Amino acid sequence: MNYWLMKTEPSTFSWDDLVRDKKTGWDGVRNFQARNNLKAMKKGDLAFIYHSMEDKAVVGIAKITKEHYPDPKDNEWVAVEIAPEKKLKRPITLGEVKADKRLSEMVLVKSSRLSVQPVRVEEFDMIIALSEKKIKE
């Protein structure tokens, strides 16, 4: 199994939209590296859903339910189908990720603009563990 992070602007399509719709085609990606990542996804892989722009936080986990197929808007590109797996206990902000030295090599930190990116299993597990800890006040 592989792990991924998929960025979305919540005003366009949010975690709550995915939960409401129960599944969606993840299309509209127009970056060659992100397209290659979509092509590498396998059915059953898990992906963090990351709200970009306002929230800048990992908010949930989706499952890849259909491997890449031609993007319905442009056959030169590809899409995958995803379904919600589970919401994180609490969102993990980009600031928290950047502050944790164990996550310093994460693509989200090193190449933050990439809309579909791989996540190492250790990073995936660490983000989930962080979401289960309460924030110190």
Side-chain angles (χ1 to χ4, degrees):
M1 177 182 309
N2 293 307
Y3 299 93
W4 307 93
L5 183 141
M6 303 169 91
K7 291 183 172 184
T8 183
E9 292 181 30
S11 60
T12 304
F13 190 83
S14 70
W15 170 258
D16 291 337
D17 294 328
L18 178 58
V19 170
R20 179 197 65 223
D21 295 352
K22 296 184 177 48
K23 67 179 180 177
T24 194
W26 201 265
D27 59 13
V29 172
R30 300 295 183 263
N31 171 286
F32 290 105
Q33 190 174 1
R35 178 185 68 184
N36 290 342
N37 289 334
L38 288 174
K39 285 183 170 184
M41 291 178 172
K42 300 294 178 207
K43 187 174 180 176
D45 283 357
L46 297 177
F48 284 132
I49 300 299
Y50 178 89
H51 282 175
S52 59
M53 304 308 275
E54 306 95 37
D55 300 345
K56 292 186 180 173
V58 179
V59 295
I61 302 169
K63 183 179 273 190
I64 309 309
T65 55
K66 182 177 179 183
E67 294 179 16
H68 78 277
Y69 57 91
D71 186 313
K73 297 174 188 123
D74 184 342
N75 284 343
E76 298 295 314
W77 298 92
V78 299
V80 296
E81 185 181 271
I82 64 171
E85 184 73 7
K86 82 175 200 180
K87 186 174 185 173
L88 293 186
K89 292 200 177 185
R90 69 174 185 85
I92 299 302
T93 67
L94 178 59
E96 286 179 84
V97 171
K98 286 182 172 182
D100 193 318
K101 288 183 169 72
R102 301 169 299 172
L103 296 170
S104 64
E105 295 299 311
M106 195 169 178
V107 177
L108 184 62
V109 173
K110 295 207 158 254
S111 185
S112 63
R113 294 187 52 111
L114 187 60
S115 64
V116 179
Q117 50 191 251
V119 175
R120 294 190 326 247
V121 65
E122 309 83 39
E123 296 165 340
F124 193 87
D125 292 343
M126 219 171 296
I127 298 271
I128 291 172
L130 285 172
S131 80
E132 292 174 350
K133 289 183 181 174
K134 293 190 182 205
I135 298 176
K136 296 176 185 171
E137 299 202 17

